[in-house]
């Protein structure tokens, strides 16, 4: 089964948009694909259950009929770092429920896109890093690079950390989040030269654009 872990150079740089576009690209290849957000902080109460906006977007972009509880095993109310949000909720974020939810989804689909929180080094709990999920599930990592001033430093440091942690960096996706950024093409050229993985695509700055339309900007080498 095709499965990847999507991380980013920071929070708010387009991980969910890139993950949803990836799902539509996978579905465009004829695969039944699903998204997963193991831990999500910042939820609202819907029909008596905590629901996260990003996880709901992944659910909408993926194959229908999958349980929200599997897509987002840990839905935490407060929009804080997961460790703090879990502490406020009296919840222990643990690895086994995440692995079990992933296993259940894996029986239903051909491809899974697992979206992390914040940047690569953002903890999931006091005792668990995102690397623990990646190792346990043996997932390659895709890095979303938010295109803005400073992205070279953030991208290179993130890529170095991923590789030095022993994870496999399979590719990266550029997300154009700052429409005023100067010399975008030059920055992209430097990223292509320096990052130790291929670019899977560049998502344009298009607020409100449907992820299905943005999928055309991606090229997945593993499926080419």
């Amino acid at each position: 089964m095709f499965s990847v872990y999507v991380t980013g150079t920071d929070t708010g740089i387009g991980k969910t948009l890139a993950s949803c576009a990836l799902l539509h690209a996978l579905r465009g290849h004829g695969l039944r694909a699903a998204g997963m957000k193991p831990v999500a902080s910042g939820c609202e109460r819907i029909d008596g259950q905590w629901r996260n906006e990003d996880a709901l977007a992944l659910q909408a972009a993926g194959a229908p009929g999958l349980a929200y509880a599997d897509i987002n095993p840990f839905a935490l109310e407060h929009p804080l770092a997961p460790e703090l949000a879990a502490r406020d909720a009296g919840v222990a974020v643990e690895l086994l429920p995440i692995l079990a939810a992933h296993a259940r989804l894996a029986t239903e689909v051909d491809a899974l896109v697992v979206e992390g929180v914040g940047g690569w080094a953002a903890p999931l709990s006091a005792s668990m890093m995102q690397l623990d999920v990646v190792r346990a599930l043996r997932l390659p990592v895709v890095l979303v690079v938010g295109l803005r001033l400073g992205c070279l430093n953030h991208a290179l440091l993130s890529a170095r950390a991923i590789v030095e942690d022993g994870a496999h960096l399979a590719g990266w996706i550029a997300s154009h989040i700052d429409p005023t950024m100067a010399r975008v093409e030059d920055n992209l050229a430097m990223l292509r030269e320096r990052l130790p993985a291929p670019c899977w695509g560049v998502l344009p700055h298009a607020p409100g654009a449907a992820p299905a339309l943005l999928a055309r900007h991606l090229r997945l080498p593993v499926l080419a």
Side-chain angles (χ1 to χ4, degrees), residues 150-169:
C151 67
L152 292 172
N153 176 65
H154 291 159
L156 295 176
L157 285 176
S158 297
R160 181 189 301 172
I162 292 166
V163 173
E164 289 182 353
D165 280 344
H168 170 54
L169 182 62

Side-chain angles (χ1 to χ4, degrees), residues 42-66:
C43 296
E44 62 176 315
R45 205 76 170 170
I46 299 176
D47 296 329
Q49 302 293 326
W50 291 115
R51 295 289 185 263
N52 173 263
E53 181 180 9
D54 293 345
L56 289 171
L58 293 172
Q59 186 178 38
L66 302 175

Side-chain angles (χ1 to χ4, degrees), residues 184-224:
V184 172
E185 292 303 322
D186 288 339
N187 278 268
L188 283 170
M190 288 189 285
L191 287 167
R192 288 189 175 99
E193 290 172 1
R194 291 168 170 82
L195 285 174
C199 179
W200 285 16
V202 179
L203 301 180
H205 181 74
L213 296 178
L214 295 178
R216 64 185 180 181
H217 295 280
L218 300 180
R219 180 180 178 277
L220 284 57
V222 290
L223 298 179

Side-chain angles (χ1 to χ4, degrees), residues 102-194:
H102 185 277
R104 287 190 294 269
L105 290 173
T107 66
E108 300 286 339
V109 299
D110 307 308
L112 266 172
V113 174
V114 183
E115 182 188 338
V117 298
W120 173 250
L124 293 177
S125 74
S127 60
M128 184 169 60
M129 301 296 291
Q130 298 184 70
L131 174 63
D132 295 313
V133 176
V134 167
R135 278 180 174 164
L137 295 174
R138 300 181 180 179
L139 298 179
V141 178
V142 175
L143 175 66
V144 179
V145 178
L147 291 179
R148 62 185 176 200
L149 187 63
C151 67
L152 292 172
N153 176 65
H154 291 159
L156 295 176
L157 285 176
S158 297
R160 181 189 301 172
I162 292 166
V163 173
E164 289 182 353
D165 280 344
H168 170 54
L169 182 62
W172 59 279
I173 296 170
S175 173
H176 198 168
I177 58 174
D178 180 5
T180 67
M181 183 184 181
R183 310 288 290 272
V184 172
E185 292 303 322
D186 288 339
N187 278 268
L188 283 170
M190 288 189 285
L191 287 167
R192 288 189 175 99
E193 290 172 1
R194 291 168 170 82

